């Protein structure tokens, strides 16, 4: 590998955010170098679920049909309350392993003209007069590589060290942890249903079982570190899936685990890092774009990648890559996503209470009106305030 590289835009991290940004910029005719510290394809700890917002954004990228061909189709999400009551929400959902999704996006970015290098770890920024002008990186042989760029897009996930070295880290501690493993079931379940279970000992943490096809399930739990009771949920000796639905528990007891149980930190609620400084933008998980309460982040990451790419492409086209021009990225992203994050933070606080979780799930199961509202929240047509504000909870209590 050359020891010195030059590009218009350096994208650090080949997850959904970085891959989407590289694809969009390359399609716009910009010179893009996408780098990833791990050798590709690599495994990622994730629920692997693609909700409607993710599929919509993948459609904007021209990848929805390619994803549908690889992914497993889901027709409903089943929420299980601490009491055991269940509520089904219908929709068009998919599951696809992150290593496959990320590789598909990167391949398309390369077809559009982006250059991709895996096994290259960015360690520090290059700076001139307080402006980021590229990055220093280390390859697999431990050799130093200098990369000069007009703009750097950081999408390193929860890698706090990289954010700190670029002067953008605000909170080193993550907000949550995702823990998951893959299982092959010995007994059959309806594999068009995603299962999400809430247990009173873990609230607002939740467990999931997402079918991947051919009897394989992604099984895990999301744990929020802001709550004292969550520490027990981090114990690897505890079952990954806890539910009052005895049939699911029994099926898992006879299942065969296909690999190790893996865990990864999460940043949620649009918290943890600054979005920009002169010459650099922060994307995806690094910016805390995973939603509180539900732990969904792929759609937000994809959207941040496209938004950053459009702002940067316009700035490069006008030859005005100023801090003010780059701040348009944060303005657009906050306008679009911040109301959802605030609402889910409020919902997460309410879901600490067993009574709220039981009431909401049971009443939504019985009310066509509440099912419609909940479906709109899942598809991001409405924020969670529609239910989790005081007015919204009043509507839940009065719903028929």
């Amino acid at each position: 590998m050359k020891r010195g590289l030059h590009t218009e835009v350096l994208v650090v991290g080949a997850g959904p955010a970085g891959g989407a940004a590289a694809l969009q910029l390359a399609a716009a005719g910009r010179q893009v170098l996408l780098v990833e510290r791990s050798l590709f394809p690599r495994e990622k700890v994730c629920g692997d679920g693609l909700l409607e917002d993710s599929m919509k954004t993948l459609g904007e990228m021209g990848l929805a049909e390619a994803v549908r061909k690889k992914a497993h189709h889901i027709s409903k999400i089943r929420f299980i309350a601490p009491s055991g009551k269940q509520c089904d929400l219908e929709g068009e959902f998919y599951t696809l392993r992150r290593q496959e999704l990320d590789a598909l996006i990167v391949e398309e970015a390369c077809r559009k003209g982006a250059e991709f290098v895996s096994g290259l770890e960015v360690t520090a920024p290059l700076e001139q007069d307080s402006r980021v002008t590229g990055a220093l990186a280390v390859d697999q042989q431990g050799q130093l590589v200098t990369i000069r760029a007009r703009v750097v897009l950081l999408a390193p996930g929860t890698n706090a060290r990289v954010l700190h070295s670029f002067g953008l880290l605000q909170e080193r501690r993550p907000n949550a942890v995702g823990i998951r493993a893959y299982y092959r079931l010995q007994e059959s379940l309806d594999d068009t249903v995603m299962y999400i279970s809430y247990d009173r000992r873990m609230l607002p943490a939740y467990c999931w079982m997402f079918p991947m096809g051919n009897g394989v399930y992604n099984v895990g739990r999301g744990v929020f570190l802001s709550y004292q009771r969550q520490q027990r949920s981090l114990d690897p000796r505890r079952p990954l899936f806890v539910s009052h639905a005895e049939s699911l528990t029994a099926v898992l007891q006879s299942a065969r685990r296909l690999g190790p149980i893996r865990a990864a930190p999460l940043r949620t609620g649009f918290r943890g890092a600054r979005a920009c400084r002169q010459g650099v933008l922060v994307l995806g998980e690094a910016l805390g774009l995973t939603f509180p309460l539900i732990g969904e982040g792929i759609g937000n990451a994809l959207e941040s990648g496209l938004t950053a790419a459009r702002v940067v492409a316009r700035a490069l086209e006008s030859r005005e890559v100023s801090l003010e021009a780059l701040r348009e990225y944060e303005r657009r992203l906050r306008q679009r996503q911040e109301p959802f994050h605030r609402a889910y933070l409020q919902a997460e606080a309410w879901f600490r209470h067993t009574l709220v979780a039981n009431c909401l799930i049971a009443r939504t199961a019985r009310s066509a009106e509440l099912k419609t509202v909940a479906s709109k929240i899942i598809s991001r047509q409405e924020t969670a305030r529609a239910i989790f504000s005081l007015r919204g909870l009043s509507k839940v209590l009065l719903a028929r």
Side-chain angles (χ1 to χ4, degrees):
M1 179 184 295
K2 295 179 182 178
R3 301 292 73 135
L5 301 173
H6 290 79
T7 185
E8 274 192 308
V9 184
L10 169 63
V11 182
V12 181
L23 190 160
Q24 184 74 16
L25 282 162
R30 310 317 306 193
Q31 183 187 22
V32 185
L33 174 61
L34 173 64
V35 302
E36 163 67 38
R37 65 176 176 173
S38 302
L39 294 175
F40 240 57
R42 70 332 182 214
E43 191 172 6
K44 277 289 189 181
V45 175
C46 183
D48 297 329
L50 297 171
L51 303 186
E52 290 165 341
D53 64 321
S54 298
M55 295 305 298
K56 179 181 178 182
T57 308
L58 287 165
E60 294 178 34
M61 297 162 59
L63 288 174
E65 286 307 311
V67 168
R68 287 189 181 99
K69 289 178 181 178
K70 287 178 171 286
H72 180 71
H73 180 252
I74 309 290
S75 62
K76 67 179 67 172
I77 304 175
R78 179 166 297 163
F79 295 91
I80 305 168
S83 65
K85 296 288 186 180
Q86 300 180 3
C87 175
D88 289 352
L89 296 181
E90 297 184 353
E92 184 182 9
F93 316 113
Y94 294 86
T95 53
L96 181 65
R97 292 199 186 203
R98 273 287 306 279
Q99 64 188 70
E100 294 185 64
L101 175 66
D102 293 358
L104 189 153
I105 295 172
V106 169
E107 288 166 8
E108 184 63 20
C110 292
R111 277 194 288 270
K112 297 292 186 183
E115 183 181 357
F116 176 55
V117 179
S118 64
L120 192 61
E121 182 175 6
V122 166
T123 58
L126 291 175
E127 297 182 77
Q128 183 176 353
D129 299 326
S130 300
R131 176 187 177 85
V132 173
T133 58
L136 296 174
V138 178
D139 65 16
Q140 291 287 294
Q141 289 72 47
Q143 297 296 309
L144 186 66
V145 179
T146 300
I147 309 170
R148 301 195 178 278
R150 295 185 66 188
V151 182
V152 177
L153 302 184
L154 288 180
T158 54
N159 190 334
R161 182 192 53 75
V162 173
L163 293 172
H164 177 72
S165 70
F166 276 78
L168 292 159
L169 183 67
Q170 292 179 320
E171 297 179 22
R172 184 173 295 276
R173 190 171 183 265
N175 311 110
V177 175
I179 308 167
R180 72 99 176 97
Y182 293 103
Y183 288 81
R184 184 176 297 280
L185 303 190
Q186 305 303 312
E187 303 176 41
S188 62
L189 281 177
D190 183 348
D191 70 354
T192 65
V193 179
M194 289 176 163
Y195 300 91
I196 297 178
S197 173
Y198 298 92
D199 184 89
R200 63 180 178 79
R201 294 163 295 180
M202 297 171 58
L203 291 175
Y206 61 93
C207 300
W208 71 77
M209 281 182 62
F210 291 173
M212 306 299 297
N214 300 315
V216 174
Y217 276 71
N218 180 320
V219 180
R221 65 176 175 264
V223 180
F224 301 99
L225 301 178
S226 302
Y227 307 96
Q228 189 64 35
R229 73 175 73 178
Q230 302 293 274
Q231 305 307 315
R232 293 176 296 175
S233 302
L234 292 171
D235 188 342
R237 296 168 297 182
R238 289 174 64 90
L240 276 180
F241 190 86
V242 180
S243 176
H244 287 282
E246 295 180 1
S247 59
L248 295 179
T249 304
V251 165
L252 271 177
Q253 285 175 344
S254 63
R256 180 167 60 90
R257 201 173 77 210
L258 300 179
I261 297 174
R262 298 182 183 275
L266 297 172
R267 292 180 175 274
T268 69
F270 222 134
R271 300 170 293 182
R274 292 163 52 200
C276 64
R277 59 172 289 201
Q278 188 127 5
V280 60
L281 297 177
V282 180
L283 283 58
E285 179 77 12
L287 196 54
L289 295 187
T290 294
F291 278 144
L293 184 64
I294 63 171
E296 200 279 327
I298 293 177
N300 291 343
L302 292 168
E303 184 177 57
S304 74
L306 293 190
T307 302
R310 288 162 181 160
V311 168
V312 169
R314 177 176 292 185
L316 290 170
E317 185 67 28
S318 66
R319 300 182 181 181
E320 181 59 34
V321 191
S322 64
L323 179 58
E324 183 57 32
L326 293 183
R327 278 179 174 156
E328 178 64 18
Y329 161 71
E330 183 175 10
R331 284 192 286 268
R332 291 187 189 182
L333 202 61
R334 286 197 179 278
Q335 182 179 28
R336 168 64 177 153
Q337 293 194 15
E338 199 164 43
F340 294 93
H341 284 277
R342 286 199 303 265
Y344 273 122
L345 280 170
Q346 188 174 26
E348 183 183 295
W350 277 112
F351 242 66
R352 290 177 297 169
H353 308 291
T354 303
L355 180 63
V356 174
N358 283 335
C359 177
L360 178 61
I361 292 174
R363 287 185 176 272
T364 302
R366 297 197 304 264
S367 169
E369 178 187 3
L370 289 179
K371 276 192 176 183
T372 298
V373 173
S375 294
K376 286 183 177 180
I377 291 171
I378 292 295
S379 62
R380 287 182 63 181
Q381 297 175 59
E382 287 199 42
T383 76
R385 279 185 57 82
I387 287 180
F388 287 100
S389 62
L390 288 174
R391 184 177 179 181
L393 287 171
S394 298
K395 183 186 294 187
V396 170
L397 292 172
L398 296 173
R400 295 181 180 273

